[in-house]
Amino acid sequence: MTSAERDDQATHSVRRPTALAFSVFAIPHFYYHLHHLAGTTTFEAIALTSLNLLVAALGIVIIPITSLRDRRDRRRNVTFPGAGTS
């Protein structure tokens, strides 16, 4: 097994839990800033809201992508530690 394959296996096993933990933080963080815009300029409010939405969406998008990759890998009979059984 090459170094790159070991790195891919290690990355694969932590991808979904990391995205989930990231979303647990990012979604309430977005909600907080959405409802606490007093004292900001229009530009700041738009930038803060849109960038926080982008960050919150990032974690949400990674979770299904990871699930699709897991399903594809299972069909190819590729197993990674922590990814479940084939």
Side-chain angles (χ1 to χ4, degrees), residues 22-80:
F22 182 82
S23 295
V24 166
F25 163 77
I27 293 169
H29 185 243
F30 166 71
Y31 182 80
Y32 171 82
H33 282 290
L34 185 63
H35 293 285
H36 293 86
L37 295 173
T40 62
T41 65
T42 302
F43 174 77
E44 290 171 338
I46 291 170
L48 191 62
T49 303
S50 59
L51 292 175
N52 274 311
L53 178 62
L54 179 66
V55 169
L58 181 65
I60 294 170
V61 168
I62 290 173
I63 294 169
I65 289 173
T66 304
S67 295
L68 291 172
R69 286 188 72 182
D70 287 347
R71 189 175 308 148
R72 182 197 66 196
D73 291 342
R74 279 194 299 272
R75 275 189 267 141
R76 292 180 179 173
N77 290 327
V78 177
T79 58
F80 294 107

